[in-house]
Amino acid sequence: MATAPPLSQAVGYGVVIGLGLLFALGMILTTYVLKRYRNEVQTSEMFSTAGRSVKSGLVASAVVSSWTWAATLLQSSGVAYRYGVSGPFWYASGATVQILLFATLAIELKRKAPNAHTFLEVIRARYGVYTHVVFIVFGLMTNVLVTAMLLTGGSAVVTSLTGMPTAAACFLLPVGVVLYTIFGGIKATFLTDYVHTVMILIIIMIFAFTAYTTNVNLGSPGKVYDLLVEAAKNHPVEGNAEGSYLTMRSKEGAIFFVINIVGNFGTVFCDNGYYNKAIAASPVHALPGYVMGGLSWFAIPWLAATTMGLSALALETNPVFPTYPLRMPNADVTAGLVLPNAAVAMLGKGGAAATLLLIFMAVTSASSAEYIAVSSIFTYDIYKTYFEPTASGRKLVYMAHTCVVVYAILLAAFSTGLYYIGISMGYLYLMMGVIISSAVLPAAMTLLWSGQNMIAATLSPILGLACSLIAWLVTAKKQYGNLSVESTGSNNPMLAGNVVALLSPLIFIPVLTFAFGQQRYDWVSMAMIRLGDDSDVAAKANVDLELIPGAADTSEADLLAEKDKLKRASVIAKTMTAVMTFALLIFWPMPMYGTAYVFSKKFFTGWVSVGILWLFCSTFCVGLYPLWEGRHSQANTIRGIYRDLTGKGKPPMQGRTMFVDDKSSEDEGTMMGTEKDVKGATAKVTTGDAIKGE
C-alpha cells in the first residue's frame, strides 16, 4: 500500500498468534470433552477419518471452509476490480462445479473402498506401486501449491494491514493450526472449520450491508452503479462490451473463467484433503454434504467480490481510498490487496481489522485440511505401506503428528522464499492447473471406469504434465519474447498450459488403454483395504475399542443396506451434478455473455440482492443446520458435563454393561446410563450399542 498500514504490528501479532493459540486451547478442551463423553479417542483412525461418522451439515461447513482459501476472497475481488461484474461470477461458478462433480466421486469412493484412509490407497490397491508413486507426487504437489498459495496470500494481507514482516507472517500463521490439528486430527478441522465458516459469513455480510446500505460514500446498489459507469468512462475495460464494468461479456474475464475451471479441477480431484472429508463423512451424508457445501460456497466469492472488488473501483477516485489519487498498481492487485483496500476505504481501521480476521480464518481453516491431507499421505501411503506395514496405531498417530509439524515448517520456509523471488498468490493460483490438472482424468477414471489400465493411469499424468509445461512456456516465449514472472503469469500462456494439462489425458488414456489392453477391473482389491489396528491406543486410554466411533464391526445386514443407499445416492449424484453444472456454466451466464448485455441499474440491484439472499441461505445450510443436526449429541454431552460438575452422576463407564431407559434409546447421541437397576421399562445394552446411532 502507498500509505502507512492502518493497524499496528502489535495487532497483527495479536491476531496471528493470539487467535491461533485460542483456537488451539479450544480444540484441546473439545478433544477432552469428546473423549470423556463421546468415547472419541485419538486413534490413528479417528485422527485421519473421524470414525467415518460425520453428518452432512458438518461436511458442508467443512467443504465451504476448506474451499474458502485466501484466494477465494482476494483473487475473486481482484478479478472483479479488473473485469467488473463478470469476474466474481466466473470465479464462483468456475470453482463450484468441481465440488458438485466431486460429490459423484465421493459416493463411488464410499461404495468401492469403504475402509480407505486416502485416495492414494485406492490407487495402489488397483494399479500397484508405480502408479501409486506417481499419484503420491501429484498429490503432494497439489498440497504444496495450495498451502503456499494460502500462506503467500495471507501473509501479503497481514503485511499490508499491520506492517508485520511477511516472513514472520508465513511462519506464525501455521502455529495455532498445527497445534489444534495435532490435538484433534481431522475432527478438529471439521469443528474449527464450522467456527471459521460462520465468522467468514458474518464478516462478508457486514461488508455487503455496509457497501449497499449504510456507507456514506456508497450506501446503495444504485450509487455503486453510477460510480461504476463513471469508472468505465475514465478507464474503459479492453475486451468488455462497451468498455463497461457492468457486463458479462468480457474477453479477459472469459479467459480467466477457463483457467479457473481447469485449475480448480486439479485442486479438488488431486487434493487428498477432499477425499479425506468424503472418507470421514457418514455414508448416507456424503452426497448431501458435498452438494450443500458446493452451493453454499458459491455465494461467498460471488458476493464478497461483487461487494469489495466493485467498491474498490467505485471509491478509488475518493480521498478515503488508500492509493488515492492513483489507481492500484497491478502488482498490488495480483498480490490480493483489492479487498483490504476497499475495506479500509469503507470502514477505516474497523474494516482493516475485519479483513485481518477474515483472511486469518480463511488461511487457517483451509491450511488445517492441507496438513491433515499431507500427514495422511506420509502416514498411510509412504510409512505404513513401504516402511512398516505392521505399524501399531500409536506409531501411526506419532508419525501423523510429526508429519504435520515438519510439513508446516517446510511450507512456511518455501512460502517465504516465494515472496522474496516475487511469486505472489495470484501467480500460483493461475499456475496450479498447469502443474497438477493432468492427473484429474486418470484419478476420476480410477473410480468410474473399470477399463483404464495401469500403463494409462501411470503415464498419462506424466505425459500431460510435460505437454502442459511446453504449451505454457512456449506460448509465453512466443508472445512476449522472454520467460519472466510477468510473461509466464499472463493470461494467454496460463490458458494454454491449463487447457493442455486437463484435456491431453483425453488422448493419452484411451490410446494407452486400448494399445495395451483394458484392465476389466472387478473392484475387489479396493474393498479389501482394511482399517488400522488401534487396540494399543484404546488400551492406553482405558476405552473399549468397540466403543470408539467407526471402530465397531458392522453387521452384514447393515453393510447391505448401506450399499443399497450408496447405489441410489450414486444415481442421484450423477443426475444432480450434471444438471447444476449445466445451470452454473451454461444456462445462467452464457445468454448474457452472448448478447453482450450491459446491466441496467434495476438489473444490477437485483443481481446484488440475489447474492445477499444466497448468502443468507448459505448461512442456514452451514451455520444453523449443523447445530440442529447435532442437537442430540450436544444435549447428551451437556448432560454429562452437568452431572460431572454437580456430582449427580458419572459419564458412562466404558465397556461396562449398563441399563438405559427405553425413551432415551431413541436419542441419536451417546446414551447416559447408570449402573443401578432402574424400575420400569429398561433395556440392557452396552455403550457400544448405544452409540451406533451417531
Side-chain angles (χ1 to χ4, degrees):
M1 287 183 179
T3 57
L7 303 174
S8 68
Q9 286 196 31
V11 174
Y13 284 106
V15 169
V16 171
I17 300 176
L19 268 185
L21 293 178
L22 182 63
F23 272 106
L25 290 173
M27 201 58 241
I28 293 169
L29 177 61
T30 303
T31 303
Y32 170 78
V33 169
L34 291 174
K35 176 182 176 182
R36 181 166 178 80
Y37 303 105
R38 307 287 298 154
N39 299 308
E40 293 189 8
V41 179
Q42 277 305 301
T43 63
S44 64
E45 289 290 329
M46 277 299 296
F47 186 86
S48 298
T49 71
R52 295 173 169 84
S53 60
V54 181
K55 292 187 176 180
S56 54
L58 213 52
V59 171
S61 69
V63 168
V64 170
S65 183
S66 299
W67 206 215
T68 305
W69 305 342
T72 302
L73 306 164
L74 304 177
Q75 180 79 356
S76 61
S77 297
V79 294
Y81 180 85
R82 283 189 169 122
Y83 313 130
V85 293
S86 67
F89 187 89
W90 293 138
Y91 188 103
S93 63
T96 297
V97 294
Q98 292 84 352
I99 297 295
L100 299 177
L101 292 172
F102 186 80
T104 299
L105 220 57
I107 295 299
E108 293 303 315
L109 180 63
K110 302 291 284 185
R111 285 181 63 203
K112 293 167 180 172
N115 294 328
H117 306 87
T118 69
F119 177 66
L120 299 175
E121 279 187 321
V122 172
I123 295 288
R124 185 174 186 272
R126 176 166 177 175
Y127 301 117
V129 173
Y130 296 115
T131 316
H132 187 226
V133 171
V134 169
F135 275 87
I136 285 175
V137 172
F138 275 89
L140 290 176
M141 284 195 299
T142 303
N143 295 129
V144 167
L145 284 171
V146 172
T147 309
M149 199 181 340
L150 291 167
L151 290 177
T152 53
S155 61
V157 172
V158 172
T159 299
S160 71
L161 292 175
T162 69
M164 179 193 293
T166 301
C170 283
F171 276 93
L172 293 177
L173 277 169
V175 171
V177 186
V178 169
L179 289 175
Y180 73 67
T181 302
I182 285 176
F183 280 99
I186 196 170
K187 190 62 173 282
T189 71
F190 276 100
L191 297 175
T192 54
D193 281 354
Y194 171 78
V195 177
H196 290 170
T197 300
V198 171
M199 295 185 73
I200 288 170
L201 290 169
I202 291 171
I203 294 172
I204 293 174
M205 282 184 183
I206 291 171
F207 286 155
F209 283 109
T210 299
Y212 295 118
T213 62
T214 64
N215 185 259
V216 65
N217 297 307
L218 300 175
S220 70
K223 183 64 180 295
V224 174
Y225 179 92
D226 292 337
L227 290 170
L228 291 175
V229 171
E230 190 65 29
K233 292 178 181 177
N234 295 332
H235 38 80
V237 187
E238 185 179 353
N240 279 25
E242 301 179 19
S244 175
Y245 288 101
L246 293 157
T247 178
M248 291 293 290
R249 171 67 75 87
S250 171
K251 178 185 174 183
E252 293 299 317
I255 292 174
F256 170 79
F257 176 50
V258 176
I259 295 172
N260 191 43
I261 289 177
V262 174
N264 284 313
F265 266 112
T267 51
V268 172
F269 284 68
C270 299
D271 188 343
N272 195 52
Y274 291 94
Y275 293 98
N276 280 353
K277 287 178 170 56
I279 290 166
S282 168
V284 296
H285 291 103
L287 173 61
Y290 271 86
V291 172
M292 279 198 305
L295 292 177
S296 297
W297 180 86
F298 179 90
I300 292 176
W302 184 33
L303 183 61
T306 299
T307 299
M308 306 308 284
L310 300 186
S311 295
L313 280 169
L315 291 173
E316 65 182 352
T317 56
N318 192 302
V320 298
F321 200 73
T323 64
Y324 176 83
L326 302 174
R327 297 204 71 199
M328 286 186 63
N330 187 59
D332 283 2
V333 178
T334 304
L337 302 185
V338 172
L339 187 149
N341 276 352
V344 171
M346 287 195 299
L347 292 166
K349 288 190 175 182
T355 301
L356 185 61
L357 186 60
L358 180 72
I359 299 305
F360 175 82
M361 294 297 161
V363 170
T364 54
S365 62
S367 59
S368 65
E370 297 304 310
Y371 297 151
I372 288 286
V374 171
S375 73
S376 298
I377 292 173
F378 273 101
T379 302
Y380 289 99
D381 291 290
I382 297 176
Y383 177 73
K384 190 174 188 295
T385 301
Y386 297 113
F387 292 94
E388 196 170 347
T390 59
S392 64
R394 188 176 179 183
K395 192 68 171 288
L396 293 177
V397 172
Y398 172 77
M399 285 301 301
H401 289 176
T402 303
C403 288
V404 169
V405 175
V406 172
Y407 178 72
I409 294 172
L410 290 177
L411 261 293
F414 179 64
S415 301
T416 303
L418 290 176
Y419 163 73
Y420 282 113
I421 63 174
I423 302 295
S424 67
M425 175 204 68
Y427 187 93
L428 292 173
Y429 186 84
L430 297 175
M431 185 192 71
M432 61 187 178
V434 178
I435 306 299
I436 61 178
S437 288
S438 60
V440 170
L441 288 174
M445 291 301 103
T446 297
L447 288 171
L448 298 176
W449 184 36
S450 62
Q452 179 174 262
N453 62 26
M454 184 271 286
I455 294 174
T458 305
L459 294 183
S460 55
I462 299 172
L463 295 173
L465 174 60
C467 292
S468 67
L469 290 174
I470 291 171
W472 174 41
L473 297 176
V474 167
T475 303
K477 177 69 174 177
K478 186 174 181 180
Q479 184 168 354
Y480 296 99
N482 62 78
L483 293 178
S484 63
V485 172
E486 183 177 354
S487 64
T488 57
S490 300
N491 273 353
N492 287 335
M494 288 295 190
L495 176 65
N498 274 273
V499 170
V500 169
L502 183 65
L503 298 184
S504 59
L506 283 175
I507 299 173
F508 296 132
I509 290 173
V511 168
L512 293 172
T513 294
F514 291 110
F516 293 93
Q518 294 188 56
Q519 185 181 32
R520 305 189 189 283
Y521 183 59
D522 58 10
W523 313 106
V524 172
S525 60
M526 288 185 189
M528 293 178 66
I529 297 173
R530 290 289 173 256
L531 302 177
D533 180 9
D534 287 309
S535 54
D536 58 329
V537 181
K540 185 180 179 182
N542 296 317
V543 175
D544 187 340
L545 183 62
E546 290 289 306
L547 307 184
I548 299 173
D553 291 331
T554 307
S555 68
E556 189 68 26
D558 288 342
L559 283 174
L560 290 174
E562 186 177 288
K563 285 182 180 179
D564 287 339
K565 290 178 181 177
L566 287 171
K567 189 174 182 180
R568 287 197 300 272
S570 177
V571 175
I572 295 170
K574 290 170 184 174
T575 305
M576 185 182 296
T577 54
V579 170
M580 288 189 292
T581 298
F582 175 80
L584 290 174
L585 297 186
I586 308 295
F587 185 72
W588 185 354
M590 289 308 167
M592 288 186 287
Y593 183 87
T595 58
Y597 175 65
V598 177
F599 289 13
S600 66
K601 187 177 292 188
K602 287 185 178 180
F603 191 91
F604 179 70
T605 301
W607 186 265
V608 170
S609 300
V610 170
I612 293 173
L613 288 173
W614 200 316
L615 193 72
F616 273 107
C617 293
S618 300
T619 303
F620 172 80
C621 287
V622 302
L624 299 179
Y625 182 63
L627 295 177
W628 170 258
E629 198 175 38
R631 63 195 183 281
H632 300 300
S633 306
Q634 297 162 41
N636 286 322
T637 301
I638 291 170
R639 282 198 292 268
I641 294 172
Y642 174 77
R643 288 173 178 171
D644 263 358
L645 294 176
T646 59
K648 292 183 178 180
K650 297 179 180 179
M653 300 295 291
Q654 279 78 356
R656 301 277 296 272
T657 298
M658 299 180 290
F659 287 88
V660 181
D661 185 75
D662 272 344
K663 293 181 181 178
S664 69
S665 68
E666 296 173 3
D667 204 350
E668 285 186 61
T670 305
M671 299 182 185
M672 298 296 141
T674 66
E675 295 179 60
K676 297 179 180 179
D677 195 357
V678 181
K679 291 183 179 181
T682 58
K684 187 176 182 181
V685 298
T686 66
T687 315
D689 294 324
I691 66 172
K692 284 183 180 178
E694 184 60 13

